[in-house]
Amino acid sequence: MTARIGVVTFPGSLDDRDTQRAIRVAGAEPVALWHKDKDLKQVDAVVLCGGFSYGDYLRAGAIARFSPVMDTVIDQAKAGLPVLGICNGFQILTEAHLLPGGMLGNDHLHFICRDQKLRVENAGTAWTSDYTAGQEIHIPLKNMDGRYVADRRTLDELEAEGRVAFRYLDMNPNGSLNDIAGITNAAGNVVGLMPHPEHAVESLIGTGRTDGLPFFTSILTKLVNA
């Protein structure tokens, strides 16, 4: 049976269709989920896509965190449902306390859009198993509030427990502490990152490479072997 992966659309989401396409390219069935609905339609995993939910008017992800769908996402994520947060989705995951830390404005105070080099630090999560630890990849990055911050104790825990999933290489594009580009929860089912893997699944778009595709094939591997 084909795996069903939900993609949540909030007011201001920009990359829901791109994410659905990436899921389809990987071989799964994308399922559109609306932010006002608590029903996840029996999906096997959920992606919170990129964009500017609610215009980032209060703080990036802060309003979306209280959308009705998030009540269900939070409950099921704590029960083991795989959840991926991309860019604004990462911000929402921190606001929902499914991932620690928070996101602030880029240290240079400008929106950034570039192809970004990353190193895979943790290849043991539900969303990264088709990578190898230490692998270097190129993924598009576009954000205004992409600076990952946390207190020293949290940073030390993330590092000690191997929960930094991705790290920026060559340059730190937004001032994120410890060059962190993405993290995972302790169970490995919830992952958030600022770069956009859905824009790097076909050679004709994004970086011209397919370095983002393993995010979506990894979750299929996880679901098949569950």
Side-chain angles (χ1 to χ4, degrees):
M1 185 172 65
T2 303
R4 291 161 43 85
I5 302 178
V7 179
V8 180
T9 299
F10 300 92
S13 294
L14 299 179
D15 298 302
D16 44 355
R17 297 294 182 89
D18 301 73
T19 304
Q20 290 174 27
R21 179 172 177 80
I23 290 168
R24 193 175 294 111
V25 169
E29 176 189 351
V31 179
L33 301 175
W34 184 236
H35 73 110
K36 286 188 175 182
D37 298 329
K38 288 191 174 185
D39 181 12
L40 297 185
K41 301 180 181 179
Q42 298 182 316
V43 296
D44 302 299
V46 167
V47 180
L48 305 180
C49 65
F52 302 91
S53 60
Y54 292 92
D56 289 347
Y57 289 132
L58 175 61
R59 186 175 64 249
I63 301 176
R65 175 262 177 271
F66 292 101
S67 288
V69 72
M70 288 304 298
D71 291 337
T72 311
V73 170
I74 291 169
D75 288 345
Q76 294 201 20
K78 290 179 178 179
L81 179 75
V83 178
L84 174 65
I86 301 171
C87 195
N88 189 227
F90 185 14
Q91 295 160 342
I92 295 168
L93 289 176
T94 62
E95 292 288 343
H97 304 298
L98 286 174
L99 292 175
M103 313 300 298
L104 296 178
N106 298 339
D107 59 353
H108 45 73
L109 303 180
H110 294 286
F111 181 85
I112 188 169
C113 183
R114 56 172 279 123
D115 291 339
Q116 179 64 47
K117 189 175 182 181
L118 307 174
R119 182 172 60 238
V120 180
E121 301 283 19
N122 186 331
T125 80
W127 299 93
T128 60
S129 63
D130 280 357
Y131 292 108
T132 57
Q135 183 177 350
E136 297 181 2
I137 60 177
H138 292 78
I139 302 289
L141 174 77
K142 51 178 184 175
N143 63 70
M144 181 67 187
D145 299 296
R147 178 161 51 116
Y148 180 77
V149 296
D151 60 59
R152 177 48 56 186
R153 180 178 178 180
T154 299
L155 289 172
D156 289 345
E157 288 179 353
L158 290 173
E159 297 288 0
E161 296 172 7
R163 290 171 53 195
V164 175
F166 298 90
R167 213 179 300 270
Y168 296 117
L169 290 183
D170 293 348
M171 68 166 292
N172 186 324
N174 43 39
S176 292
L177 297 180
N178 291 22
D179 298 326
I180 290 174
I183 61 175
T184 178
N185 67 343
N189 64 302
V190 179
V191 172
L193 79 162
M194 287 309 297
H196 286 260
E198 77 279 13
H199 295 326
V201 298
E202 297 175 287
S203 59
L204 292 178
I205 61 174
T207 61
R209 304 164 60 146
T210 58
D211 290 0
L213 188 58
F215 276 89
F216 306 100
T217 58
S218 292
I219 190 60
L220 294 188
T221 301
K222 167 69 174 178
L223 295 172
V224 167
N225 293 330

